[in-house]
Amino acid sequence: MPRLVSHPDEVKIVTKRFGMGAANIDKYIELGGYESLKKCIAEGPDWIINEMKASNLRGRGGAGFPTGLKWSFVPKQSAKPKYVLVNGDESEPATCKDHLIFLHDPHAVIEGTMIAGLAIGAKVGFIYLRGEYRYLLEIMEKAVADAYAKGVLGKNVLGSDFEFNVITQSGAGAYEVGEESALMESLEGKRGVPRIKPPFPAVVGLYGGPTVINNAETIATVPHVIAMGGAAYAAVGSERNGGTRLFGLSGHVERPGIYELPMGYNLKKMIYEVGGGVRGGRGLKAVVPGGSSTPVLLPEEIDIGMDFDQVGKAGSMLGSGGVVVIDDTTCMVEFALRTISFYQHESCGWCIPCREGTDWLKKSLTRFHAGFGTEKDIDNIAYLAQNMLGRTFCPLGDAAAMPTAAFVKKFRKEFEDHLNGKPCAFAKHMELAVV
Amino acid sequence: MSETMSIFSPALSARFDALVAKYPVKRSALIPMLLYAQDEIGYLSDAVIAEVAERIGITELDVRNVATYYSMLRFKPAGKYNIQVCTNISCMLRGAYEVYERFQDELHIGHKGVTPDGTFSLEEVECIGACCWAPAIQVNYAFHDELTPNDVPKILSEYKAKANGSVKNA
Ligand SMILES: Cc1cc2nc3c(=O)[nH]c(=O)nc-3n(C[C@H](O)[C@H](O)[C@H](O)COP(=O)(O)O)c2cc1C
Ligand code: SF4
Ligand code: FES
């Protein structure tokens, strides 16, 4: 069972019911659950979207798109049914926050899905979990069944004339399926190859109908936004970045775990105070701030607020909120190799720059790390990565290229140290670092 | 589909009947169906592919084309307990390769290997969503986290006992 952690600086909004047995529907209701849904049924779609806009809630899936704005793009009239699709594919390395939401508060996901449905005029919501999360899917399925039994889901939601149904779905192992259009393909029973945009899902989505796709944390936050009021939620965070985020501290940190902190919380403080610092009091070498696709930061670059805009200004991204702490015993070439191996493995192969680019990067880095690199390789790796950027069909290509480019740029010296067959100073398992 | 014709248990057969009816289009049931079929049969045999294709109303080729995309789906049997060791970044930093090596040493098999008695198989896998509790593994669907190499023998003997006893596949 994943361990829950806690720190006095936390502001528990989304996590406030964690560890309280709220997977039980009676407990959830006792703790104020489904009250926001009632309020939304009474107030109606325009009011909901206004509250969501006022909240400054930005998508927790990675890109940080404003949620209220996304919902407002869905046309009011539509010949085809509209859908809500909850993205619980959670496969970006260093990301495990949705895991805890499904485990501790599945009804918050259902309630958020229903509120989104009410706002856009959908009658059906899909909750898609990655295939590895079987035990969490079972928790979600039980929660859905309980919600039907209680009259929360179904034809007359809580006695009103609002009808809403939830369908849970399991994936079967594929990172790329987390990309929103590939997710729809997968849900339609196909390979997870992304669709061309436009049209955007808000107009033509699942089964051709207008679809709102949100990350599971985004959706689980919605009932709290409604309960607090949009403006009050916004006030918790920083400018244009409303509320809190479930930050995941992992790697060489003394107290790893998921911590709910206000948007804009200082990264250095997060590592040294909330996380208890680098494990064993060692020196800090680098920090990956928002999941494996986000460019690495040097120790002198981490005195920044953790919100989408400030991390962006620092040359990286807030991404999925997965903060990886890397100490001075780590080989950054090996780290770069393990990172690119993942993207090479997960590239869907649809477009050439990504399929070939990730493959060549992995090959070059494998050879390089094994001590067979040449001076020219260093620039070639950077050049390859640079040439993938912006030239791929979906953002996975960028997700592979951006961190690679940053590793080479910021740790060039370590790459040079590997030259001339010099053994890697840190190497433990280079021949294994390939899946 | 009548039960007598199905290669699946009556319970799974009934579950599939419900599954294909639950979506706006039948085909949406395909991926979960393949996974649940694999859970029961052990892998996607020709017979599994044929019956799933028939239940959805698409060709076997179409089913194979989709199935080969997803990394959890397999076309050969794995061990009764499939040990999946995450070696991605958060786990790697906290000793995942040492854990993986210990499994290799104890089981005398490598990546995607199966023990001769069919009890265990081993796989190095990508992130399984337990990064804050690293290093983490999954044995079939069960998570084990915050591991050290020294936890490996105990995990193996637990599953060995399960395999020998009456306890059903977890
Ligand atoms: C390769 C790739 C993988 C992604 N994986 C996920 C994922 O696992 N979970 C997720 O919520 N979003 C993921 N996204 C982002 C989604 O495409 C989408 O932007 C998001 O689900 C929208 O929700 P939000 O607005 O609430 O953030 C991924 C994007 C890409 C390009
Ligand atoms: S960028 Fe990569 S994952 Fe995306 S469509 Fe191209 S090959 Fe597929
Ligand atoms: S990196 Fe191992 S579970 Fe995520």
PDB file of all heavy atoms in Angstrom, chain A residues 175-176 179 192-195 343 346-356 358 388 391-398, chain B residues 69, ligand 2:
ATOM      1  N   TYR A 175       2.164   4.292 -23.008  1.00  0.00           N
ATOM      2  CA  TYR A 175       2.301   5.686 -22.556  1.00  0.00           C
ATOM      3  C   TYR A 175       1.605   6.631 -23.509  1.00  0.00           C
ATOM      4  O   TYR A 175       0.924   7.563 -23.093  1.00  0.00           O
ATOM      5  CB  TYR A 175       3.791   6.024 -22.454  1.00  0.00           C
ATOM      6  CG  TYR A 175       4.126   7.475 -22.315  1.00  0.00           C
ATOM      7  CD1 TYR A 175       3.836   8.164 -21.134  1.00  0.00           C
ATOM      8  CD2 TYR A 175       4.760   8.191 -23.338  1.00  0.00           C
ATOM      9  CE1 TYR A 175       4.167   9.505 -20.989  1.00  0.00           C
ATOM     10  CE2 TYR A 175       5.088   9.521 -23.201  1.00  0.00           C
ATOM     11  CZ  TYR A 175       4.792  10.177 -22.029  1.00  0.00           C
ATOM     12  OH  TYR A 175       5.115  11.501 -21.889  1.00  0.00           O
ATOM     13  N   GLU A 176       1.766   6.385 -24.798  1.00  0.00           N
ATOM     14  CA  GLU A 176       1.251   7.292 -25.817  1.00  0.00           C
ATOM     15  C   GLU A 176      -0.276   7.461 -25.711  1.00  0.00           C
ATOM     16  O   GLU A 176      -0.833   8.476 -26.124  1.00  0.00           O
ATOM     17  CB  GLU A 176       1.682   6.802 -27.202  1.00  0.00           C
ATOM     18  CG  GLU A 176       1.091   7.514 -28.402  1.00  0.00           C
ATOM     19  CD  GLU A 176       1.355   9.020 -28.439  1.00  0.00           C
ATOM     20  OE1 GLU A 176       2.088   9.546 -27.606  1.00  0.00           O
ATOM     21  OE2 GLU A 176       0.773   9.657 -29.330  1.00  0.00           O
ATOM     22  N   GLU A 179      -1.852  10.641 -24.427  1.00  0.00           N
ATOM     23  CA  GLU A 179      -2.086  11.801 -25.292  1.00  0.00           C
ATOM     24  C   GLU A 179      -3.566  11.775 -25.658  1.00  0.00           C
ATOM     25  O   GLU A 179      -4.112  10.728 -25.999  1.00  0.00           O
ATOM     26  CB  GLU A 179      -1.201  11.697 -26.545  1.00  0.00           C
ATOM     27  CG  GLU A 179      -1.121  12.977 -27.357  1.00  0.00           C
ATOM     28  CD  GLU A 179      -2.301  13.225 -28.274  1.00  0.00           C
ATOM     29  OE1 GLU A 179      -2.917  12.238 -28.737  1.00  0.00           O
ATOM     30  OE2 GLU A 179      -2.640  14.378 -28.524  1.00  0.00           O
ATOM     31  N   GLY A 192      -3.179   3.027 -30.250  1.00  0.00           N
ATOM     32  CA  GLY A 192      -3.127   4.385 -29.705  1.00  0.00           C
ATOM     33  C   GLY A 192      -2.313   5.337 -30.560  1.00  0.00           C
ATOM     34  O   GLY A 192      -1.331   5.914 -30.098  1.00  0.00           O
ATOM     35  N   VAL A 193      -2.721   5.523 -31.785  1.00  0.00           N
ATOM     36  CA  VAL A 193      -2.049   6.467 -32.678  1.00  0.00           C
ATOM     37  C   VAL A 193      -2.833   7.777 -32.647  1.00  0.00           C
ATOM     38  O   VAL A 193      -4.050   7.774 -32.796  1.00  0.00           O
ATOM     39  CB  VAL A 193      -1.986   5.902 -34.120  1.00  0.00           C
ATOM     40  CG1 VAL A 193      -1.437   6.938 -35.089  1.00  0.00           C
ATOM     41  CG2 VAL A 193      -1.133   4.642 -34.149  1.00  0.00           C
ATOM     42  N   PRO A 194      -2.140   8.910 -32.427  1.00  0.00           N
ATOM     43  CA  PRO A 194      -2.882  10.166 -32.273  1.00  0.00           C
ATOM     44  C   PRO A 194      -3.593  10.615 -33.552  1.00  0.00           C
ATOM     45  O   PRO A 194      -3.252  10.181 -34.650  1.00  0.00           O
ATOM     46  CB  PRO A 194      -1.794  11.170 -31.872  1.00  0.00           C
ATOM     47  CG  PRO A 194      -0.506  10.558 -32.265  1.00  0.00           C
ATOM     48  CD  PRO A 194      -0.697   9.082 -32.236  1.00  0.00           C
ATOM     49  N   ARG A 195      -4.558  11.507 -33.344  1.00  0.00           N
ATOM     50  CA  ARG A 195      -5.307  12.071 -34.477  1.00  0.00           C
ATOM     51  C   ARG A 195      -4.744  13.433 -34.817  1.00  0.00           C
ATOM     52  O   ARG A 195      -4.167  14.105 -33.972  1.00  0.00           O
ATOM     53  CB  ARG A 195      -6.781  12.248 -34.091  1.00  0.00           C
ATOM     54  CG  ARG A 195      -7.480  10.955 -33.766  1.00  0.00           C
ATOM     55  CD  ARG A 195      -8.913  11.241 -33.285  1.00  0.00           C
ATOM     56  NE  ARG A 195      -9.567   9.994 -32.925  1.00  0.00           N
ATOM     57  CZ  ARG A 195     -10.754   9.927 -32.345  1.00  0.00           C
ATOM     58  NH1 ARG A 195     -11.423  11.038 -32.051  1.00  0.00           N
ATOM     59  NH2 ARG A 195     -11.289   8.760 -32.049  1.00  0.00           N
ATOM     60  N   TYR A 343      11.287   6.801 -23.982  1.00  0.00           N
ATOM     61  CA  TYR A 343      10.556   7.412 -25.102  1.00  0.00           C
ATOM     62  C   TYR A 343      10.722   6.600 -26.389  1.00  0.00           C
ATOM     63  O   TYR A 343       9.803   6.524 -27.201  1.00  0.00           O
ATOM     64  CB  TYR A 343      10.967   8.886 -25.273  1.00  0.00           C
ATOM     65  CG  TYR A 343      10.467   9.693 -24.104  1.00  0.00           C
ATOM     66  CD1 TYR A 343      11.308  10.048 -23.057  1.00  0.00           C
ATOM     67  CD2 TYR A 343       9.119  10.013 -23.992  1.00  0.00           C
ATOM     68  CE1 TYR A 343      10.828  10.730 -21.941  1.00  0.00           C
ATOM     69  CE2 TYR A 343       8.623  10.686 -22.893  1.00  0.00           C
ATOM     70  CZ  TYR A 343       9.483  11.043 -21.869  1.00  0.00           C
ATOM     71  OH  TYR A 343       8.997  11.691 -20.768  1.00  0.00           O
ATOM     72  N   GLU A 346       8.280   3.844 -26.128  1.00  0.00           N
ATOM     73  CA  GLU A 346       6.873   4.253 -26.157  1.00  0.00           C
ATOM     74  C   GLU A 346       6.469   4.988 -27.427  1.00  0.00           C
ATOM     75  O   GLU A 346       5.278   5.225 -27.634  1.00  0.00           O
ATOM     76  CB  GLU A 346       6.555   5.125 -24.939  1.00  0.00           C
ATOM     77  CG  GLU A 346       6.798   4.438 -23.591  1.00  0.00           C
ATOM     78  CD  GLU A 346       5.900   3.212 -23.385  1.00  0.00           C
ATOM     79  OE1 GLU A 346       4.773   3.197 -23.896  1.00  0.00           O
ATOM     80  OE2 GLU A 346       6.361   2.267 -22.704  1.00  0.00           O
ATOM     81  N   SER A 347       7.427   5.371 -28.267  1.00  0.00           N
ATOM     82  CA  SER A 347       7.068   6.039 -29.517  1.00  0.00           C
ATOM     83  C   SER A 347       6.113   5.133 -30.297  1.00  0.00           C
ATOM     84  O   SER A 347       6.381   3.945 -30.462  1.00  0.00           O
ATOM     85  CB  SER A 347       8.329   6.304 -30.356  1.00  0.00           C
ATOM     86  OG  SER A 347       7.952   6.637 -31.680  1.00  0.00           O
ATOM     87  N   CYS A 348       5.030   5.705 -30.773  1.00  0.00           N
ATOM     88  CA  CYS A 348       4.055   4.851 -31.457  1.00  0.00           C
ATOM     89  C   CYS A 348       4.514   4.515 -32.866  1.00  0.00           C
ATOM     90  O   CYS A 348       3.922   3.686 -33.547  1.00  0.00           O
ATOM     91  CB  CYS A 348       2.672   5.505 -31.459  1.00  0.00           C
ATOM     92  SG  CYS A 348       2.417   6.714 -32.757  1.00  0.00           S
ATOM     93  N   GLY A 349       5.560   5.199 -33.345  1.00  0.00           N
ATOM     94  CA  GLY A 349       6.134   4.855 -34.638  1.00  0.00           C
ATOM     95  C   GLY A 349       5.440   5.494 -35.828  1.00  0.00           C
ATOM     96  O   GLY A 349       5.804   5.251 -36.978  1.00  0.00           O
ATOM     97  N   TRP A 350       4.467   6.333 -35.569  1.00  0.00           N
ATOM     98  CA  TRP A 350       3.654   6.891 -36.648  1.00  0.00           C
ATOM     99  C   TRP A 350       4.447   7.876 -37.501  1.00  0.00           C
ATOM    100  O   TRP A 350       4.341   7.865 -38.721  1.00  0.00           O
ATOM    101  CB  TRP A 350       2.429   7.567 -36.035  1.00  0.00           C
ATOM    102  CG  TRP A 350       1.450   8.130 -37.017  1.00  0.00           C
ATOM    103  CD1 TRP A 350       1.215   9.447 -37.258  1.00  0.00           C
ATOM    104  CD2 TRP A 350       0.570   7.392 -37.864  1.00  0.00           C
ATOM    105  NE1 TRP A 350       0.235   9.572 -38.207  1.00  0.00           N
ATOM    106  CE2 TRP A 350      -0.184   8.332 -38.592  1.00  0.00           C
ATOM    107  CE3 TRP A 350       0.339   6.033 -38.080  1.00  0.00           C
ATOM    108  CZ2 TRP A 350      -1.140   7.952 -39.518  1.00  0.00           C
ATOM    109  CZ3 TRP A 350      -0.613   5.657 -39.003  1.00  0.00           C
ATOM    110  CH2 TRP A 350      -1.344   6.614 -39.716  1.00  0.00           C
ATOM    111  N   CYS A 351       5.239   8.751 -36.854  1.00  0.00           N
ATOM    112  CA  CYS A 351       5.968   9.738 -37.659  1.00  0.00           C
ATOM    113  C   CYS A 351       7.474   9.551 -37.533  1.00  0.00           C
ATOM    114  O   CYS A 351       7.984   9.134 -36.502  1.00  0.00           O
ATOM    115  CB  CYS A 351       5.529  11.165 -37.324  1.00  0.00           C
ATOM    116  SG  CYS A 351       5.888  11.693 -35.657  1.00  0.00           S
ATOM    117  N   ILE A 352       8.178   9.879 -38.604  1.00  0.00           N
ATOM    118  CA  ILE A 352       9.590   9.524 -38.728  1.00  0.00           C
ATOM    119  C   ILE A 352      10.510  10.257 -37.735  1.00  0.00           C
ATOM    120  O   ILE A 352      11.349   9.616 -37.110  1.00  0.00           O
ATOM    121  CB  ILE A 352      10.057   9.711 -40.188  1.00  0.00           C
ATOM    122  CG1 ILE A 352       9.305   8.702 -41.071  1.00  0.00           C
ATOM    123  CG2 ILE A 352      11.559   9.501 -40.338  1.00  0.00           C
ATOM    124  CD1 ILE A 352       9.359   9.012 -42.544  1.00  0.00           C
ATOM    125  N   PRO A 353      10.362  11.577 -37.559  1.00  0.00           N
ATOM    126  CA  PRO A 353      11.310  12.244 -36.658  1.00  0.00           C
ATOM    127  C   PRO A 353      11.310  11.622 -35.253  1.00  0.00           C
ATOM    128  O   PRO A 353      12.358  11.492 -34.634  1.00  0.00           O
ATOM    129  CB  PRO A 353      10.804  13.687 -36.617  1.00  0.00           C
ATOM    130  CG  PRO A 353      10.004  13.853 -37.852  1.00  0.00           C
ATOM    131  CD  PRO A 353       9.404  12.515 -38.149  1.00  0.00           C
ATOM    132  N   CYS A 354      10.152  11.216 -34.773  1.00  0.00           N
ATOM    133  CA  CYS A 354      10.072  10.639 -33.438  1.00  0.00           C
ATOM    134  C   CYS A 354      10.546   9.194 -33.448  1.00  0.00           C
ATOM    135  O   CYS A 354      11.374   8.785 -32.639  1.00  0.00           O
ATOM    136  CB  CYS A 354       8.646  10.753 -32.905  1.00  0.00           C
ATOM    137  SG  CYS A 354       8.336   9.854 -31.372  1.00  0.00           S
ATOM    138  N   ARG A 355      10.053   8.414 -34.396  1.00  0.00           N
ATOM    139  CA  ARG A 355      10.416   6.994 -34.437  1.00  0.00           C
ATOM    140  C   ARG A 355      11.920   6.820 -34.632  1.00  0.00           C
ATOM    141  O   ARG A 355      12.589   6.109 -33.882  1.00  0.00           O
ATOM    142  CB  ARG A 355       9.655   6.310 -35.573  1.00  0.00           C
ATOM    143  CG  ARG A 355       9.887   4.805 -35.639  1.00  0.00           C
ATOM    144  CD  ARG A 355       9.172   4.202 -36.837  1.00  0.00           C
ATOM    145  NE  ARG A 355       9.704   4.713 -38.099  1.00  0.00           N
ATOM    146  CZ  ARG A 355       8.949   5.013 -39.165  1.00  0.00           C
ATOM    147  NH1 ARG A 355       7.640   4.880 -39.128  1.00  0.00           N
ATOM    148  NH2 ARG A 355       9.508   5.463 -40.268  1.00  0.00           N
ATOM    149  N   GLU A 356      12.467   7.519 -35.626  1.00  0.00           N
ATOM    150  CA  GLU A 356      13.902   7.390 -35.916  1.00  0.00           C
ATOM    151  C   GLU A 356      14.744   8.163 -34.905  1.00  0.00           C
ATOM    152  O   GLU A 356      15.807   7.710 -34.497  1.00  0.00           O
ATOM    153  CB  GLU A 356      14.188   7.897 -37.336  1.00  0.00           C
ATOM    154  CG  GLU A 356      13.536   7.063 -38.415  1.00  0.00           C
ATOM    155  CD  GLU A 356      14.092   5.639 -38.454  1.00  0.00           C
ATOM    156  OE1 GLU A 356      15.325   5.490 -38.405  1.00  0.00           O
ATOM    157  OE2 GLU A 356      13.289   4.693 -38.514  1.00  0.00           O
ATOM    158  N   THR A 358      14.189   9.009 -31.707  1.00  0.00           N
ATOM    159  CA  THR A 358      14.354   8.379 -30.393  1.00  0.00           C
ATOM    160  C   THR A 358      15.258   7.153 -30.512  1.00  0.00           C
ATOM    161  O   THR A 358      16.074   6.885 -29.627  1.00  0.00           O
ATOM    162  CB  THR A 358      12.995   7.956 -29.780  1.00  0.00           C
ATOM    163  OG1 THR A 358      12.283   7.146 -30.718  1.00  0.00           O
ATOM    164  CG2 THR A 358      12.148   9.158 -29.409  1.00  0.00           C
ATOM    165  N   MET A 388      14.383  17.203 -33.806  1.00  0.00           N
ATOM    166  CA  MET A 388      13.078  16.573 -33.569  1.00  0.00           C
ATOM    167  C   MET A 388      12.059  17.606 -33.106  1.00  0.00           C
ATOM    168  O   MET A 388      10.874  17.504 -33.390  1.00  0.00           O
ATOM    169  CB  MET A 388      13.200  15.502 -32.480  1.00  0.00           C
ATOM    170  CG  MET A 388      13.912  14.239 -32.914  1.00  0.00           C
ATOM    171  SD  MET A 388      14.306  13.223 -31.464  1.00  0.00           S
ATOM    172  CE  MET A 388      12.632  12.735 -30.944  1.00  0.00           C
ATOM    173  N   ARG A 391       8.830  19.020 -34.814  1.00  0.00           N
ATOM    174  CA  ARG A 391       8.672  18.388 -36.134  1.00  0.00           C
ATOM    175  C   ARG A 391       7.956  17.044 -36.038  1.00  0.00           C
ATOM    176  O   ARG A 391       8.044  16.229 -36.953  1.00  0.00           O
ATOM    177  CB  ARG A 391      10.041  18.176 -36.773  1.00  0.00           C
ATOM    178  CG  ARG A 391      10.734  19.490 -37.126  1.00  0.00           C
ATOM    179  CD  ARG A 391      11.845  19.273 -38.131  1.00  0.00           C
ATOM    180  NE  ARG A 391      12.377  20.551 -38.596  1.00  0.00           N
ATOM    181  CZ  ARG A 391      13.339  21.200 -37.971  1.00  0.00           C
ATOM    182  NH1 ARG A 391      13.883  20.714 -36.877  1.00  0.00           N
ATOM    183  NH2 ARG A 391      13.765  22.357 -38.454  1.00  0.00           N
ATOM    184  N   THR A 392       7.304  16.800 -34.932  1.00  0.00           N
ATOM    185  CA  THR A 392       6.633  15.510 -34.789  1.00  0.00           C
ATOM    186  C   THR A 392       5.131  15.693 -34.762  1.00  0.00           C
ATOM    187  O   THR A 392       4.620  16.780 -34.504  1.00  0.00           O
ATOM    188  CB  THR A 392       7.104  14.779 -33.522  1.00  0.00           C
ATOM    189  OG1 THR A 392       6.861  15.613 -32.384  1.00  0.00           O
ATOM    190  CG2 THR A 392       8.583  14.444 -33.603  1.00  0.00           C
ATOM    191  N   PHE A 393       4.434  14.597 -35.019  1.00  0.00           N
ATOM    192  CA  PHE A 393       2.982  14.624 -35.165  1.00  0.00           C
ATOM    193  C   PHE A 393       2.297  14.953 -33.841  1.00  0.00           C
ATOM    194  O   PHE A 393       1.294  15.656 -33.799  1.00  0.00           O
ATOM    195  CB  PHE A 393       2.536  13.249 -35.685  1.00  0.00           C
ATOM    196  CG  PHE A 393       1.131  13.213 -36.182  1.00  0.00           C
ATOM    197  CD1 PHE A 393       0.812  13.731 -37.422  1.00  0.00           C
ATOM    198  CD2 PHE A 393       0.137  12.651 -35.398  1.00  0.00           C
ATOM    199  CE1 PHE A 393      -0.494  13.690 -37.876  1.00  0.00           C
ATOM    200  CE2 PHE A 393      -1.169  12.614 -35.862  1.00  0.00           C
ATOM    201  CZ  PHE A 393      -1.493  13.132 -37.092  1.00  0.00           C
ATOM    202  N   CYS A 394       2.822  14.405 -32.748  1.00  0.00           N
ATOM    203  CA  CYS A 394       2.242  14.710 -31.434  1.00  0.00           C
ATOM    204  C   CYS A 394       3.365  15.121 -30.493  1.00  0.00           C
ATOM    205  O   CYS A 394       4.542  14.990 -30.829  1.00  0.00           O
ATOM    206  CB  CYS A 394       1.463  13.505 -30.901  1.00  0.00           C
ATOM    207  SG  CYS A 394       2.457  12.332 -29.960  1.00  0.00           S
ATOM    208  N   PRO A 395       3.040  15.596 -29.305  1.00  0.00           N
ATOM    209  CA  PRO A 395       4.098  16.124 -28.424  1.00  0.00           C
ATOM    210  C   PRO A 395       5.050  15.071 -27.840  1.00  0.00           C
ATOM    211  O   PRO A 395       5.987  15.436 -27.145  1.00  0.00           O
ATOM    212  CB  PRO A 395       3.302  16.802 -27.289  1.00  0.00           C
ATOM    213  CG  PRO A 395       1.928  16.989 -27.813  1.00  0.00           C
ATOM    214  CD  PRO A 395       1.700  15.877 -28.785  1.00  0.00           C
ATOM    215  N   LEU A 396       4.853  13.781 -28.103  1.00  0.00           N
ATOM    216  CA  LEU A 396       5.787  12.802 -27.553  1.00  0.00           C
ATOM    217  C   LEU A 396       7.208  13.032 -28.081  1.00  0.00           C
ATOM    218  O   LEU A 396       8.189  12.856 -27.360  1.00  0.00           O
ATOM    219  CB  LEU A 396       5.347  11.360 -27.828  1.00  0.00           C
ATOM    220  CG  LEU A 396       6.163  10.281 -27.085  1.00  0.00           C
ATOM    221  CD1 LEU A 396       5.295   9.117 -26.648  1.00  0.00           C
ATOM    222  CD2 LEU A 396       7.341   9.757 -27.896  1.00  0.00           C
ATOM    223  N   GLY A 397       7.295  13.437 -29.328  1.00  0.00           N
ATOM    224  CA  GLY A 397       8.611  13.706 -29.907  1.00  0.00           C
ATOM    225  C   GLY A 397       9.343  14.802 -29.137  1.00  0.00           C
ATOM    226  O   GLY A 397      10.531  14.669 -28.819  1.00  0.00           O
ATOM    227  N   ASP A 398       8.617  15.871 -28.804  1.00  0.00           N
ATOM    228  CA  ASP A 398       9.209  16.945 -28.004  1.00  0.00           C
ATOM    229  C   ASP A 398       9.562  16.447 -26.608  1.00  0.00           C
ATOM    230  O   ASP A 398      10.592  16.813 -26.048  1.00  0.00           O
ATOM    231  CB  ASP A 398       8.225  18.118 -27.857  1.00  0.00           C
ATOM    232  CG  ASP A 398       8.054  18.877 -29.171  1.00  0.00           C
ATOM    233  OD1 ASP A 398       8.879  18.668 -30.087  1.00  0.00           O
ATOM    234  OD2 ASP A 398       7.101  19.663 -29.266  1.00  0.00           O
TER     235      ASP A 398
ATOM    236  N   TYR B  69      -0.066  -3.552 -30.286  1.00  0.00           N
ATOM    237  CA  TYR B  69       0.309  -2.195 -29.877  1.00  0.00           C
ATOM    238  C   TYR B  69       0.536  -2.099 -28.370  1.00  0.00           C
ATOM    239  O   TYR B  69       1.333  -1.293 -27.899  1.00  0.00           O
ATOM    240  CB  TYR B  69      -0.793  -1.208 -30.303  1.00  0.00           C
ATOM    241  CG  TYR B  69      -0.511   0.215 -29.907  1.00  0.00           C
ATOM    242  CD1 TYR B  69       0.259   1.040 -30.728  1.00  0.00           C
ATOM    243  CD2 TYR B  69      -0.983   0.732 -28.705  1.00  0.00           C
ATOM    244  CE1 TYR B  69       0.534   2.335 -30.351  1.00  0.00           C
ATOM    245  CE2 TYR B  69      -0.706   2.037 -28.327  1.00  0.00           C
ATOM    246  CZ  TYR B  69       0.057   2.831 -29.158  1.00  0.00           C
ATOM    247  OH  TYR B  69       0.333   4.118 -28.789  1.00  0.00           O
TER     248      TYR B  69
HETATM  249  S1  SF4 C   2       5.550  12.004 -32.163  1.00  0.00           S
HETATM  250 FE1  SF4 C   2       6.049   9.833 -31.708  1.00  0.00          FE
HETATM  251  S2  SF4 C   2       4.326   9.140 -30.473  1.00  0.00           S
HETATM  252 FE2  SF4 C   2       3.654  11.027 -31.522  1.00  0.00          FE
HETATM  253  S3  SF4 C   2       2.709  10.371 -33.444  1.00  0.00           S
HETATM  254 FE3  SF4 C   2       4.879  10.696 -33.900  1.00  0.00          FE
HETATM  255  S4  SF4 C   2       5.797   8.640 -33.614  1.00  0.00           S
HETATM  256 FE4  SF4 C   2       3.826   8.598 -32.591  1.00  0.00          FE
END
